[in-house]
Amino acid sequence: MEIAGITKVDWSAPWFASIYEAGPAICTSDDWRGGLDRAAQARGARNFRGQGITFVESDAAGGEPYESFIARTGRIPARANLHDLFNGLIWLQLPHSKAQLNRLQSAEIARDGVGTVRGALRDALTLIDENAVLLVTRRADMIDALHAHDWPALFQRERSAWTTDISAVIFGHALLEKLVQPYKAITAHAWHVPLAPDASLDEIDRCMAAALDDLVSPRDLMPLPVLGIPGWCAENEEPDFYSDRTVYRPAKMRRQSTLEKQSNETRRS
């Protein structure tokens, strides 16, 4: 079965770099779940219990919660759509972080069940899983600028740093899905990975996995309009691109509107 929307994906776009190695070859086959399985086996992708990861029909879990099913079996239900394909591709490229997220999520579900409100930890984990961009840098000043929403410093005065001192890796599969049809206001939840920007995906994966624990909070995440990243959008070469205050807002305004809105959306999903 062909994956719905797959013909709209421009694999040359910079935000698909983390999944480009496996993505095009797997998605062109009708046996795309089998392709994910073979790639997962080749990469040694496992859940936190050490079970090999495989991809199965979307109804395989029955009534069992999704995260609990993956934790118990290593089997990931996957629909024939971009959302679940991208989730699978992230499992291939950053398996330790995905397994750690699953460990934390399934433990919370085992303790509290599945309710209409996730709670702070599950809320943060869901935001990371669905919408995170990893900022890989040892430049603390760049992260400070992001915390402060100092957009001129982050994207203009330090523009050259995005080719030498900082790199961005998309982790959230829902974020990847949005970027199939990009628009200026797409805002990720940024997670800082304190490594050199040329670190390998495996190094990034292991560093991130080690940092994820049951103290993670939505406050650890920073809003980042991803099309503002230099080189990710031709339009952002013009200084006026960053003058749009509906997107590049002061910190207080952004905190009250974007993060809380997206947090509420994940609680309802």
Side-chain angles (χ1 to χ4, degrees):
M1 178 185 297
E2 184 179 274
I3 296 167
I6 195 62
T7 59
K8 298 178 181 178
V9 178
D10 176 9
W11 292 104
S12 67
W15 41 83
F16 291 127
S18 64
I19 60 172
Y20 178 77
E21 178 187 353
I26 288 172
C27 72
T28 55
S29 169
D30 287 341
D31 183 28
W32 57 272
R33 289 190 189 89
L36 288 171
D37 288 350
R38 291 185 288 275
Q41 183 177 16
R43 287 164 170 75
R46 299 181 179 276
N47 70 1
F48 69 92
R49 299 184 191 278
Q51 296 165 306
I53 291 299
T54 58
F55 296 84
V56 295
E57 296 283 348
S58 58
D59 59 356
E64 186 174 2
Y66 174 83
E67 298 288 352
S68 302
F69 180 72
I70 297 170
R72 182 176 64 83
T73 68
R75 301 165 69 197
I76 301 175
R79 299 162 295 182
N81 60 26
L82 292 176
H83 187 88
D84 288 5
L85 172 68
F86 291 150
N87 181 50
L89 293 172
I90 294 295
W91 264 102
L92 298 185
Q93 303 300 71
L94 298 143
H96 297 92
S97 298
K98 291 290 282 187
Q100 178 68 345
L101 286 172
N102 175 241
R103 183 185 75 79
L104 294 166
Q105 288 272 31
S106 59
E108 285 291 289
I109 292 170
R111 187 182 68 184
D112 299 331
V114 178
T116 55
V117 177
R118 289 189 174 96
L121 175 58
R122 285 197 65 211
D123 196 16
L125 297 173
T126 301
L127 291 172
I128 293 168
D129 195 29
E130 299 279 349
N131 201 52
V133 59
L134 312 183
L135 295 184
V136 186
T137 184
R138 297 192 188 278
R139 289 275 304 269
D141 60 316
M142 298 287 281
I143 300 303
D144 289 343
L146 178 56
H147 272 295
H149 298 197
D150 187 349
W151 309 118
L154 185 68
F155 291 132
Q156 294 174 289
R157 292 197 298 274
E158 295 289 346
R159 194 170 184 84
S160 63
W162 288 89
T163 60
T164 59
D165 298 335
I166 185 169
S167 62
V169 176
I170 299 293
F171 183 86
H173 52 283
L175 179 58
L176 285 169
E177 185 181 17
K178 291 178 190 175
L179 285 165
V180 171
Q181 296 181 292
Y183 55 93
K184 186 177 184 178
I186 293 177
T187 300
H189 291 79
W191 177 271
H192 179 209
V193 178
L195 295 175
D198 60 351
S200 68
L201 278 179
D202 183 64
E203 291 171 321
I204 293 168
D205 182 28
R206 291 177 184 276
C207 182
M208 181 182 180
L212 291 168
D213 58 27
D214 57 8
L215 298 179
V216 172
S217 161
R219 293 181 178 274
D220 296 323
L221 303 167
M222 302 162 283
L224 177 69
V226 291
L227 291 191
I229 295 174
W232 280 31
C233 171
E235 288 83 355
N236 74 29
E237 295 177 8
E238 298 296 327
D240 285 348
F241 184 88
Y242 300 104
S243 300
D244 185 349
R245 288 174 63 86
T246 66
V247 177
Y248 297 95
R249 303 175 185 179
K252 184 177 180 180
M253 184 186 303
R254 170 67 70 182
R255 182 179 299 279
Q256 291 176 343
S257 60
T258 301
L259 279 181
E260 291 183 3
K261 177 182 177 181
Q262 293 186 13
S263 176
N264 289 335
E265 287 175 350
T266 62
R267 291 177 188 222
R268 292 193 295 267
S269 66

